[in-house]
Amino acid sequence: MKKLILTALSAVLVLGISACAGKSGESATKMDEQELNSKAAPIVTEEELGLRKENLYSEETKPVKAEFNRPAPGAAKTFERSYENAPPLIPHSVDGLLPITKKNNACLGCHMPDVAPSVKATPIPPTHFMDFRTQKKLDHLAQQRFNCSQCHVPQANVKPLVKNNFKPDYRRPEDKSRSFLIHDLNEGVK
Ligand code: HEC
Ligand code: HEC
């Protein structure tokens, strides 16, 4: 008799709990729905997606008009580095300097460390005269550094499609205008 009452009681309890759970579950979905409806964002169709403001499925894209008319080397003002030890952006015009070919690399004429000071150009840093596989210094420019414009890029006057909110954190004030990668390279390693 006692056993029967207990079973009946526990059945009531279990039923009660599941009923409660059902109720609260229901109200939660209703709340989510209401919240979603109140914050309903305008619908963006698949065709409108993307930054170029043209049908995403159209391959007829118009290139962004970019003005590369920068001052000649020697007349430009260098840009602040994008972040500590970032490859500097090319501030001057590259008219007649690009593309770099096997036989013609005009950049070297002004940026090799032995000539750079006389033309007031930033000298190519020691990291470009190193073989990183063997960690050995070279007495010539590393082959991997020959194609300067692979890493250093000219700048055009265009409005960015997405605002850049990144703010670099420099450890030393001089990091804004020079790189010290050769000294920082093995930081925390050696
Ligand atoms: C006629 C000499 C000359 C030539 C050729 C030249 N540069 Fe320069 N470069 C300069 C000078 C001078 C500056 C400093 C800014 C200025 O006065 O225009 C400079 C600045 C730079 C900077 C910025 C350095 C910094 O500290 O922010 C980069 C990067 C650069 N040049 C890369 C190149 C590349 C890549 C080439 C080849 C495509 C090249 N330069 C060809 C003279 C030259
Ligand atoms: C593989 C990428 C790469 C290539 C190729 C390359 N650089 Fe760099 N360059 C960098 C990076 C990264 C830095 C900043 C860190 C450092 O100093 O190594 C830099 C730094 C520099 C600086 C600034 C030095 C300073 O003291 O602040 C100059 C000038 C420069 N490079 C010129 C050149 C020239 C000229 C060429 C072609 C002969 C060239 N680089 C090729 C990646 C490259």
Side-chain angles (χ1 to χ4, degrees), residues 149-163:
S149 54
Q150 178 188 329
C151 306
H152 300 279
V153 287
Q155 296 299 292
N157 196 5
V158 283
K159 200 169 163 262
L161 289 174
V162 179
K163 194 172 166 247

mmCIF file with all atom_site columns, all heavy atoms in Angstrom, residues 149-163:
data_model
loop_
_atom_site.group_PDB
_atom_site.id
_atom_site.type_symbol
_atom_site.label_atom_id
_atom_site.label_alt_id
_atom_site.label_comp_id
_atom_site.label_asym_id
_atom_site.label_entity_id
_atom_site.label_seq_id
_atom_site.pdbx_PDB_ins_code
_atom_site.Cartn_x
_atom_site.Cartn_y
_atom_site.Cartn_z
_atom_site.occupancy
_atom_site.B_iso_or_equiv
_atom_site.pdbx_formal_charge
_atom_site.auth_seq_id
_atom_site.auth_comp_id
_atom_site.auth_asym_id
_atom_site.auth_atom_id
_atom_site.pdbx_PDB_model_num
ATOM 1   N N   . SER A 1 149 ? 58.514 44.607 -54.481 1.00 0.00 ? 149 SER A N   1
ATOM 2   C CA  . SER A 1 149 ? 57.085 44.970 -54.505 1.00 0.00 ? 149 SER A CA  1
ATOM 3   C C   . SER A 1 149 ? 56.172 43.796 -54.127 1.00 0.00 ? 149 SER A C   1
ATOM 4   O O   . SER A 1 149 ? 54.956 43.924 -54.096 1.00 0.00 ? 149 SER A O   1
ATOM 5   C CB  . SER A 1 149 ? 56.701 45.524 -55.869 1.00 0.00 ? 149 SER A CB  1
ATOM 6   O OG  . SER A 1 149 ? 57.059 44.605 -56.869 1.00 0.00 ? 149 SER A OG  1
ATOM 7   N N   . GLN A 1 150 ? 56.779 42.654 -53.833 1.00 0.00 ? 150 GLN A N   1
ATOM 8   C CA  . GLN A 1 150 ? 56.018 41.515 -53.325 1.00 0.00 ? 150 GLN A CA  1
ATOM 9   C C   . GLN A 1 150 ? 55.576 41.827 -51.884 1.00 0.00 ? 150 GLN A C   1
ATOM 10  O O   . GLN A 1 150 ? 54.540 41.355 -51.435 1.00 0.00 ? 150 GLN A O   1
ATOM 11  C CB  . GLN A 1 150 ? 56.948 40.307 -53.358 1.00 0.00 ? 150 GLN A CB  1
ATOM 12  C CG  . GLN A 1 150 ? 56.425 39.010 -52.841 1.00 0.00 ? 150 GLN A CG  1
ATOM 13  C CD  . GLN A 1 150 ? 57.568 37.998 -52.792 1.00 0.00 ? 150 GLN A CD  1
ATOM 14  O OE1 . GLN A 1 150 ? 58.513 38.031 -53.586 1.00 0.00 ? 150 GLN A OE1 1
ATOM 15  N NE2 . GLN A 1 150 ? 57.517 37.095 -51.837 1.00 0.00 ? 150 GLN A NE2 1
ATOM 16  N N   . CYS A 1 151 ? 56.370 42.625 -51.195 1.00 0.00 ? 151 CYS A N   1
ATOM 17  C CA  . CYS A 1 151 ? 56.065 42.952 -49.800 1.00 0.00 ? 151 CYS A CA  1
ATOM 18  C C   . CYS A 1 151 ? 55.867 44.448 -49.573 1.00 0.00 ? 151 CYS A C   1
ATOM 19  O O   . CYS A 1 151 ? 55.125 44.836 -48.676 1.00 0.00 ? 151 CYS A O   1
ATOM 20  C CB  . CYS A 1 151 ? 57.176 42.457 -48.882 1.00 0.00 ? 151 CYS A CB  1
ATOM 21  S SG  . CYS A 1 151 ? 57.560 40.708 -49.090 1.00 0.00 ? 151 CYS A SG  1
ATOM 22  N N   . HIS A 1 152 ? 56.563 45.271 -50.342 1.00 0.00 ? 152 HIS A N   1
ATOM 23  C CA  . HIS A 1 152 ? 56.429 46.726 -50.198 1.00 0.00 ? 152 HIS A CA  1
ATOM 24  C C   . HIS A 1 152 ? 55.534 47.218 -51.328 1.00 0.00 ? 152 HIS A C   1
ATOM 25  O O   . HIS A 1 152 ? 55.836 46.992 -52.500 1.00 0.00 ? 152 HIS A O   1
ATOM 26  C CB  . HIS A 1 152 ? 57.796 47.402 -50.282 1.00 0.00 ? 152 HIS A CB  1
ATOM 27  C CG  . HIS A 1 152 ? 58.724 46.931 -49.199 1.00 0.00 ? 152 HIS A CG  1
ATOM 28  N ND1 . HIS A 1 152 ? 58.687 47.431 -47.918 1.00 0.00 ? 152 HIS A ND1 1
ATOM 29  C CD2 . HIS A 1 152 ? 59.689 45.977 -49.204 1.00 0.00 ? 152 HIS A CD2 1
ATOM 30  C CE1 . HIS A 1 152 ? 59.595 46.819 -47.188 1.00 0.00 ? 152 HIS A CE1 1
ATOM 31  N NE2 . HIS A 1 152 ? 60.220 45.926 -47.934 1.00 0.00 ? 152 HIS A NE2 1
ATOM 32  N N   . VAL A 1 153 ? 54.442 47.878 -50.952 1.00 0.00 ? 153 VAL A N   1
ATOM 33  C CA  . VAL A 1 153 ? 53.451 48.232 -51.973 1.00 0.00 ? 153 VAL A CA  1
ATOM 34  C C   . VAL A 1 153 ? 53.259 49.742 -52.123 1.00 0.00 ? 153 VAL A C   1
ATOM 35  O O   . VAL A 1 153 ? 53.272 50.473 -51.144 1.00 0.00 ? 153 VAL A O   1
ATOM 36  C CB  . VAL A 1 153 ? 52.096 47.551 -51.673 1.00 0.00 ? 153 VAL A CB  1
ATOM 37  C CG1 . VAL A 1 153 ? 52.166 46.066 -51.967 1.00 0.00 ? 153 VAL A CG1 1
ATOM 38  C CG2 . VAL A 1 153 ? 51.656 47.789 -50.240 1.00 0.00 ? 153 VAL A CG2 1
ATOM 39  N N   . PRO A 1 154 ? 53.088 50.181 -53.382 1.00 0.00 ? 154 PRO A N   1
ATOM 40  C CA  . PRO A 1 154 ? 52.807 51.603 -53.595 1.00 0.00 ? 154 PRO A CA  1
ATOM 41  C C   . PRO A 1 154 ? 51.408 51.947 -53.092 1.00 0.00 ? 154 PRO A C   1
ATOM 42  O O   . PRO A 1 154 ? 50.568 51.050 -52.945 1.00 0.00 ? 154 PRO A O   1
ATOM 43  C CB  . PRO A 1 154 ? 52.902 51.759 -55.114 1.00 0.00 ? 154 PRO A CB  1
ATOM 44  C CG  . PRO A 1 154 ? 52.766 50.407 -55.694 1.00 0.00 ? 154 PRO A CG  1
ATOM 45  C CD  . PRO A 1 154 ? 53.120 49.419 -54.630 1.00 0.00 ? 154 PRO A CD  1
ATOM 46  N N   . GLN A 1 155 ? 51.150 53.195 -52.848 1.00 0.00 ? 155 GLN A N   1
ATOM 47  C CA  . GLN A 1 155 ? 49.871 53.613 -52.293 1.00 0.00 ? 155 GLN A CA  1
ATOM 48  C C   . GLN A 1 155 ? 49.069 54.480 -53.258 1.00 0.00 ? 155 GLN A C   1
ATOM 49  O O   . GLN A 1 155 ? 49.642 55.313 -53.966 1.00 0.00 ? 155 GLN A O   1
ATOM 50  C CB  . GLN A 1 155 ? 50.087 54.385 -50.984 1.00 0.00 ? 155 GLN A CB  1
ATOM 51  C CG  . GLN A 1 155 ? 50.699 53.534 -49.894 1.00 0.00 ? 155 GLN A CG  1
ATOM 52  C CD  . GLN A 1 155 ? 49.812 52.362 -49.543 1.00 0.00 ? 155 GLN A CD  1
ATOM 53  O OE1 . GLN A 1 155 ? 48.736 52.510 -48.999 1.00 0.00 ? 155 GLN A OE1 1
ATOM 54  N NE2 . GLN A 1 155 ? 50.264 51.153 -49.890 1.00 0.00 ? 155 GLN A NE2 1
ATOM 55  N N   . ALA A 1 156 ? 47.761 54.264 -53.289 1.00 0.00 ? 156 ALA A N   1
ATOM 56  C CA  . ALA A 1 156 ? 46.870 55.067 -54.133 1.00 0.00 ? 156 ALA A CA  1
ATOM 57  C C   . ALA A 1 156 ? 45.879 55.782 -53.234 1.00 0.00 ? 156 ALA A C   1
ATOM 58  O O   . ALA A 1 156 ? 45.611 55.338 -52.114 1.00 0.00 ? 156 ALA A O   1
ATOM 59  C CB  . ALA A 1 156 ? 46.136 54.173 -55.109 1.00 0.00 ? 156 ALA A CB  1
ATOM 60  N N   . ASN A 1 157 ? 45.335 56.887 -53.755 1.00 0.00 ? 157 ASN A N   1
ATOM 61  C CA  . ASN A 1 157 ? 44.384 57.648 -52.975 1.00 0.00 ? 157 ASN A CA  1
ATOM 62  C C   . ASN A 1 157 ? 42.969 57.119 -53.219 1.00 0.00 ? 157 ASN A C   1
ATOM 63  O O   . ASN A 1 157 ? 42.272 57.580 -54.100 1.00 0.00 ? 157 ASN A O   1
ATOM 64  C CB  . ASN A 1 157 ? 44.493 59.127 -53.367 1.00 0.00 ? 157 ASN A CB  1
ATOM 65  C CG  . ASN A 1 157 ? 43.834 60.021 -52.350 1.00 0.00 ? 157 ASN A CG  1
ATOM 66  O OD1 . ASN A 1 157 ? 43.382 59.546 -51.308 1.00 0.00 ? 157 ASN A OD1 1
ATOM 67  N ND2 . ASN A 1 157 ? 43.758 61.299 -52.656 1.00 0.00 ? 157 ASN A ND2 1
ATOM 68  N N   . VAL A 1 158 ? 42.550 56.125 -52.459 1.00 0.00 ? 158 VAL A N   1
ATOM 69  C CA  . VAL A 1 158 ? 41.205 55.553 -52.600 1.00 0.00 ? 158 VAL A CA  1
ATOM 70  C C   . VAL A 1 158 ? 40.533 55.455 -51.224 1.00 0.00 ? 158 VAL A C   1
ATOM 71  O O   . VAL A 1 158 ? 41.211 55.352 -50.206 1.00 0.00 ? 158 VAL A O   1
ATOM 72  C CB  . VAL A 1 158 ? 41.210 54.136 -53.238 1.00 0.00 ? 158 VAL A CB  1
ATOM 73  C CG1 . VAL A 1 158 ? 41.416 54.178 -54.727 1.00 0.00 ? 158 VAL A CG1 1
ATOM 74  C CG2 . VAL A 1 158 ? 42.237 53.235 -52.585 1.00 0.00 ? 158 VAL A CG2 1
ATOM 75  N N   . LYS A 1 159 ? 39.202 55.513 -51.259 1.00 0.00 ? 159 LYS A N   1
ATOM 76  C CA  . LYS A 1 159 ? 38.453 55.421 -50.006 1.00 0.00 ? 159 LYS A CA  1
ATOM 77  C C   . LYS A 1 159 ? 38.329 53.932 -49.651 1.00 0.00 ? 159 LYS A C   1
ATOM 78  O O   . LYS A 1 159 ? 37.844 53.144 -50.456 1.00 0.00 ? 159 LYS A O   1
ATOM 79  C CB  . LYS A 1 159 ? 37.070 56.043 -50.217 1.00 0.00 ? 159 LYS A CB  1
ATOM 80  C CG  . LYS A 1 159 ? 36.406 56.430 -48.937 1.00 0.00 ? 159 LYS A CG  1
ATOM 81  C CD  . LYS A 1 159 ? 35.173 57.285 -49.231 1.00 0.00 ? 159 LYS A CD  1
ATOM 82  C CE  . LYS A 1 159 ? 34.291 57.322 -48.005 1.00 0.00 ? 159 LYS A CE  1
ATOM 83  N NZ  . LYS A 1 159 ? 33.191 56.380 -48.053 1.00 0.00 ? 159 LYS A NZ  1
ATOM 84  N N   . PRO A 1 160 ? 38.768 53.542 -48.452 1.00 0.00 ? 160 PRO A N   1
ATOM 85  C CA  . PRO A 1 160 ? 38.640 52.124 -48.089 1.00 0.00 ? 160 PRO A CA  1
ATOM 86  C C   . PRO A 1 160 ? 37.168 51.699 -48.036 1.00 0.00 ? 160 PRO A C   1
ATOM 87  O O   . PRO A 1 160 ? 36.316 52.471 -47.606 1.00 0.00 ? 160 PRO A O   1
ATOM 88  C CB  . PRO A 1 160 ? 39.276 52.037 -46.703 1.00 0.00 ? 160 PRO A CB  1
ATOM 89  C CG  . PRO A 1 160 ? 39.939 53.335 -46.461 1.00 0.00 ? 160 PRO A CG  1
ATOM 90  C CD  . PRO A 1 160 ? 39.332 54.355 -47.362 1.00 0.00 ? 160 PRO A CD  1
ATOM 91  N N   . LEU A 1 161 ? 36.867 50.486 -48.477 1.00 0.00 ? 161 LEU A N   1
ATOM 92  C CA  . LEU A 1 161 ? 35.491 49.984 -48.465 1.00 0.00 ? 161 LEU A CA  1
ATOM 93  C C   . LEU A 1 161 ? 35.040 49.700 -47.033 1.00 0.00 ? 161 LEU A C   1
ATOM 94  O O   . LEU A 1 161 ? 33.886 49.823 -46.697 1.00 0.00 ? 161 LEU A O   1
ATOM 95  C CB  . LEU A 1 161 ? 35.390 48.712 -49.304 1.00 0.00 ? 161 LEU A CB  1
ATOM 96  C CG  . LEU A 1 161 ? 35.520 48.904 -50.809 1.00 0.00 ? 161 LEU A CG  1
ATOM 97  C CD1 . LEU A 1 161 ? 35.559 47.570 -51.508 1.00 0.00 ? 161 LEU A CD1 1
ATOM 98  C CD2 . LEU A 1 161 ? 34.368 49.739 -51.341 1.00 0.00 ? 161 LEU A CD2 1
ATOM 99  N N   . VAL A 1 162 ? 35.991 49.290 -46.226 1.00 0.00 ? 162 VAL A N   1
ATOM 100 C CA  . VAL A 1 162 ? 35.687 49.009 -44.824 1.00 0.00 ? 162 VAL A CA  1
ATOM 101 C C   . VAL A 1 162 ? 36.680 49.799 -43.983 1.00 0.00 ? 162 VAL A C   1
ATOM 102 O O   . VAL A 1 162 ? 37.875 49.767 -44.246 1.00 0.00 ? 162 VAL A O   1
ATOM 103 C CB  . VAL A 1 162 ? 35.837 47.496 -44.513 1.00 0.00 ? 162 VAL A CB  1
ATOM 104 C CG1 . VAL A 1 162 ? 35.546 47.204 -43.058 1.00 0.00 ? 162 VAL A CG1 1
ATOM 105 C CG2 . VAL A 1 162 ? 34.941 46.673 -45.419 1.00 0.00 ? 162 VAL A CG2 1
ATOM 106 N N   . LYS A 1 163 ? 36.166 50.520 -43.002 1.00 0.00 ? 163 LYS A N   1
ATOM 107 C CA  . LYS A 1 163 ? 37.027 51.328 -42.151 1.00 0.00 ? 163 LYS A CA  1
ATOM 108 C C   . LYS A 1 163 ? 37.943 50.409 -41.332 1.00 0.00 ? 163 LYS A C   1
ATOM 109 O O   . LYS A 1 163 ? 37.505 49.383 -40.827 1.00 0.00 ? 163 LYS A O   1
ATOM 110 C CB  . LYS A 1 163 ? 36.160 52.171 -41.212 1.00 0.00 ? 163 LYS A CB  1
ATOM 111 C CG  . LYS A 1 163 ? 36.918 53.267 -40.540 1.00 0.00 ? 163 LYS A CG  1
ATOM 112 C CD  . LYS A 1 163 ? 35.981 54.210 -39.778 1.00 0.00 ? 163 LYS A CD  1
ATOM 113 C CE  . LYS A 1 163 ? 36.785 55.076 -38.858 1.00 0.00 ? 163 LYS A CE  1
ATOM 114 N NZ  . LYS A 1 163 ? 36.556 54.833 -37.442 1.00 0.00 ? 163 LYS A NZ  1
#
